[in-house]
Every structure is written in structure tokens, then in C-alpha cells.
Amino acid sequence: MGESVIDQDIQEKGRQSEAVSLILQLLNRRLGEISSTVSQKIQELSLEQFATLGEALLDFTSLTELTTWLLDTET
């Protein structure tokens, strides 16, 4: 029996939530504690922006770089 669209949506949201959690953990480890404001901005990213952040975080060396990156995604 196939999954309903609702079940698929719930699973997708769960995977996205896990991915956000992982990215935040990696950023916290690399840059130090991430503020709730920055964390919220990250959670509001589109899937495409989020995937780009996943790669970009490897290059960040400061919270300033992360903040600048987030500001650039808003434009």
C-alpha cells in the first residue's frame, strides 16, 4: 500500500528538520554558538539556499562571514 501525500509531506518535513539541525550543529562547532536570530534566518532558507549553505559552511571562519552570507541571500 502506498503512502498518502500527507505522510510523504510529514516525512519530508522531518528530513528537512533533521538537515537544519545538522547544519546548525556543524556551524556551532565551527564558529561557536549561533544566535537565535541567525538560527531563525537559517531555518527560513529555501531548500536551494540551504543546500548552498551546506557547502559554504566549510569555508566560513567567523560568524561575520556567515552573517554576510545570510544577508547576501536576502537580496
Side-chain angles (χ1 to χ4, degrees):
M1 181 173 229
E3 295 178 356
S4 73
V5 172
I6 294 172
D7 289 339
Q8 290 173 354
D9 188 47
I10 290 170
Q11 287 179 352
E12 182 65 28
K13 286 183 191 314
R15 285 191 294 270
Q16 185 173 350
S17 177
E18 289 173 6
V20 168
S21 179
L22 176 60
I23 293 293
L24 289 172
Q25 287 176 357
L26 292 171
L27 286 167
N28 277 310
R29 182 168 179 165
R30 183 158 184 88
L31 305 176
E33 188 171 341
I34 304 297
S35 72
S36 60
T37 303
V38 172
S39 176
Q40 183 64 36
K41 286 184 183 288
I42 291 169
Q43 293 176 42
E44 294 171 355
L45 294 173
S46 70
L47 288 176
E48 183 179 328
Q49 291 169 323
F50 189 73
T52 303
L53 174 60
E55 291 180 26
L57 75 84
L58 298 172
D59 297 325
F60 297 149
T61 58
S62 69
L63 287 171
T64 302
E65 290 177 343
L66 171 59
T67 305
T68 300
W69 186 90
L70 288 168
L71 288 172
D72 288 346
T73 63
E74 291 177 355
T75 57

